[in-house]
Amino acid sequence: MSLFFIGYRYRWSFLFLSLWIITVFCLSDQPADSKYTATIQSENIQTQLIATHINNSKITANVRKTVLENGLTVLTKEVHTAPVISVQMWYKVGSRYEAPGTNGIAHQLEHMMFKGTKNRPVQFARLFSALGSDSNAFTSYDQTAYYSTVEREKLNALLVLEADRMQNSLIEPEQLATEKRVVISELQGYENSPEYRLNRAVMQALFPNHAYGLPVGGNKADVEKFQVEQVREYYRKFYTPDNAVLVIVGDFQTSKTLETVKEIFGKLPKRQEAGDRRQETGGRRQEAEVNSLLLSTQQRQLLQVGGAAQRTGSSALSTQHSALSTPLILREQGAASMLQVVYPLPNLHHPDIPALEVLDYILTEGRNSRLYQALVESGLASEVTASVSSLQEAGWYELLVTADDHQDLKKIEKILNRAIANLIQKGVKPEELTRAKMQVEAGVILSNRDITSQAMQLANDEITAGDYRYTDSYLAAVSQVTGADIVNVAKKYLQPETRVVGLFQPTEQNTTETGKKLNLNQTTENLSATATPLAISEIDKYLPPLEETTDIVKKSLPRRKSKKILLWRYQSNLV
């Protein structure tokens, strides 16, 4: 291939690279002798080029939404880049629907959904494996999801399996006893993480009267007490077509596939009471709780210094405030000291959410971020992580700082507070704002480059936001965020009076820690660990028939290597 042809073929890439280099020289706010300059530039080339090149693309391009007569919502999106499809079934129920005494039942039911059905009394993990499918599931606050990615000719087989276990799952005493032991083992594994134990304590203090304060996976005491009829009732109530979203993304034809979906799922009966009353009452309670957490400083001072009669009348708020104003201290076995700070936020529909996401990137994303410079570069901390969680009924901003050896957590907290106060007082630089917005947009785009992630994004938006187009509007709002918006949301939400602070102080080294990062917002499964080996002939008789899909449009695209950035902080659960 001639050099001229190579140059012509990649002319746009060279143009974007040239523009990026010019931008670096013009906008860089780092000293020329910084040891991180070269690394930062290299890491940001792909991110900035992608954001510049496709920041106008829509995640929802070619998406079609169909609602069957029985209430099942179906989202389809044709993507003909490879002969594969992702089929995902998401249910509008998660740990948010639980209370003390039933904490973990959504997670427990998720495990039971792999134990087989009346028609197929065989572990579904074996059936998915026989189809060559990457399949798994997770439970989160607002939803429970089951997902499979497989060759396109096996689409119908996956649909049949999902329809079967929506209505006919086996929930028997022996199976429940087995899976309760598996769930308890998972919870004990989580307990090995000091980060998990600290987060559990902080979240319980932040949401003392709401299920968002409960651990998503449950707790051992509640799981041990689950009864068969209790889990069956939960299954009958929530695993219904009118409480589910089916997403299909990949190499298929929409019209033909929708006919198949209607044939397979349309006959499933609609059950009415899928938790609507719980959603309504939970929403009102959570709105009141968030408003309480976001009381102004003046109101809180009034509660603290007011007369006896006033304190008596506001006892609930005063108690809640005392829990928030006093740092939680965990002195337990662990590897390193940690500081966790969590601020309450409104739900994902609030117009401040895009600015809060950009603020997070300015504070914590990359070596140029403010908290990295203040804490890691200074040698006080070994790591700073953060996330904005935006859910149906509320949200929170979580900062976690892992202290370097022999560093004082109080000093780290003081430096963190000073960095936030400095941002509020002096604002943000234009180049900081531009870089952060570009990183947010690029993160969304890069996290949706494979069909499994695209399907997850659509389903998450449809359930959590009530609209599969949410990410498009979110990106549009991010592009409009100003420096004044960043200061306003920092001043409004990052108040010391509203947050919960947790300190983890290790009493001795924990030699059993793996150091693996946990996704604290959802469960992580290992289905192969409990799947009983079966003969191929036994598996084959329960597999749905496969269909030829020769009418699919085939397109040949160049292969590219990509780095995946997960906006919604999903972990890969495939086994």
Side-chain angles (χ1 to χ4, degrees), residues 287-429:
E287 183 179 2
E289 184 171 326
V290 172
N291 288 338
S292 166
L293 291 171
L294 295 177
L295 285 171
S296 67
T297 304
Q298 184 178 8
Q299 288 172 305
R300 290 190 175 280
Q301 290 174 343
L302 190 62
L303 286 173
Q304 287 180 296
V305 303
Q310 185 178 19
R311 287 197 302 272
T312 301
S314 303
S315 59
L317 287 178
S318 180
T319 300
Q320 189 174 56
H321 171 245
S322 65
L324 292 170
S325 61
T326 304
L328 300 169
I329 301 177
L330 270 67
R331 294 186 177 93
E332 299 176 353
Q333 191 179 52
S337 298
M338 291 181 291
L339 166 71
Q340 186 168 47
V341 183
V342 184
Y343 301 85
L345 301 178
N347 67 33
L348 81 169
H349 289 294
H350 197 283
D352 286 340
I353 296 300
L356 285 162
E357 288 276 9
V358 178
L359 169 63
D360 172 36
Y361 274 70
I362 290 173
L363 288 176
T364 67
E365 183 64 25
R367 294 189 175 100
N368 277 345
S369 63
R370 295 202 176 196
L371 291 181
Y372 188 95
Q373 291 287 320
L375 296 173
V376 180
E377 284 278 6
S378 67
L380 291 173
S382 60
E383 186 178 25
V384 178
T385 60
S387 64
V388 174
S389 295
S390 305
L391 304 179
Q392 282 186 359
E393 294 186 351
W396 55 88
Y397 181 45
E398 174 185 345
L399 287 158
L400 180 67
V401 182
T402 303
D404 213 342
D405 291 342
H406 311 299
Q407 294 295 338
D408 181 38
L409 292 177
K410 288 293 185 180
K411 181 178 181 181
I412 290 175
E413 182 185 0
K414 183 178 180 180
I415 298 297
L416 185 149
N417 293 341
R418 184 186 303 165
I420 294 174
N422 182 66
L423 183 148
I424 293 173
Q425 293 169 4
K426 298 182 179 180
V428 298
K429 299 177 182 178

Side-chain angles (χ1 to χ4, degrees), residues 22-34:
I22 295 172
T23 303
V24 168
F25 280 106
C26 293
L27 299 182
S28 176
D29 59 338
Q30 297 300 310
D33 59 349
S34 171

Side-chain angles (χ1 to χ4, degrees), residues 190-243:
Y190 296 153
E191 289 288 341
N192 289 331
S193 167
E195 180 184 345
Y196 174 83
R197 303 197 298 271
L198 178 62
N199 179 265
R200 182 185 58 191
V202 170
M203 290 300 294
Q204 187 173 9
L206 186 68
F207 294 107
N209 302 311
H210 190 278
Y212 284 163
L214 300 174
V216 172
N219 67 82
K220 180 181 177 183
D222 286 356
V223 171
E224 286 177 333
K225 297 175 184 177
F226 291 153
Q227 300 298 315
V228 168
E229 189 53 42
Q230 184 183 16
V231 179
R232 285 175 179 168
E233 177 59 27
Y234 202 83
Y235 171 65
R236 288 192 293 263
K237 183 176 183 180
F238 292 110
Y239 278 55
T240 67
D242 47 319
N243 198 47

Side-chain angles (χ1 to χ4, degrees), residues 23-195:
T23 303
V24 168
F25 280 106
C26 293
L27 299 182
S28 176
D29 59 338
Q30 297 300 310
D33 59 349
S34 171
K35 63 181 179 180
Y36 295 114
T37 300
T39 304
I40 293 167
Q41 291 178 357
S42 175
E43 290 175 351
N44 286 344
I45 287 178
Q46 184 184 30
T47 299
Q48 295 199 24
L49 289 180
I50 291 175
T52 303
H53 186 50
I54 48 179
N55 61 358
N56 291 322
S57 67
K58 289 184 178 294
I59 304 302
T60 55
N62 303 320
V63 174
R64 179 173 172 179
K65 179 178 178 178
T66 306
V67 181
L68 304 189
E69 291 185 4
N70 62 5
L72 177 66
T73 297
V74 184
L75 301 177
T76 55
K77 179 178 181 180
E78 293 186 33
V79 180
H80 300 294
T81 55
V84 294
I85 49 94
S86 184
V87 175
Q88 304 189 8
M89 183 65 75
W90 289 51
Y91 292 93
K92 301 176 185 178
V93 61
S95 64
R96 176 167 65 89
Y97 292 78
E98 299 169 357
T102 62
N103 182 212
I105 193 168
H107 181 208
Q108 184 69 72
L109 178 56
E110 175 215 313
H111 277 247
M112 299 305 297
M113 292 291 283
F114 286 91
K115 302 304 290 183
T117 67
K118 299 173 185 176
N119 302 323
R120 296 176 174 85
V122 60
Q123 289 175 315
F124 268 43
R126 292 300 179 195
L127 298 179
F128 291 133
S129 178
L131 289 172
S133 173
D134 282 334
S135 302
N136 214 312
F138 66 84
T139 302
S140 190
Y141 293 100
D142 295 332
Q143 64 274 121
T144 304
Y146 304 84
Y147 54 98
S148 300
T149 301
V150 72
E151 296 160 310
R152 64 189 180 198
E153 62 267 19
K154 299 169 184 176
L155 167 60
N156 289 5
L158 288 181
L159 296 176
V160 169
L161 293 177
E162 289 297 347
D164 189 16
R165 66 175 172 176
M166 177 184 282
Q167 189 175 31
N168 303 310
S169 284
L170 292 173
I171 302 174
E172 302 296 338
E174 182 179 352
Q175 295 169 325
L176 178 59
T178 299
E179 289 306 311
K180 282 167 66 172
R181 290 193 293 269
V182 173
V183 169
I184 290 171
S185 177
E186 285 183 11
L187 297 180
Q188 291 171 337
Y190 296 153
E191 289 288 341
N192 289 331
S193 167
E195 180 184 345

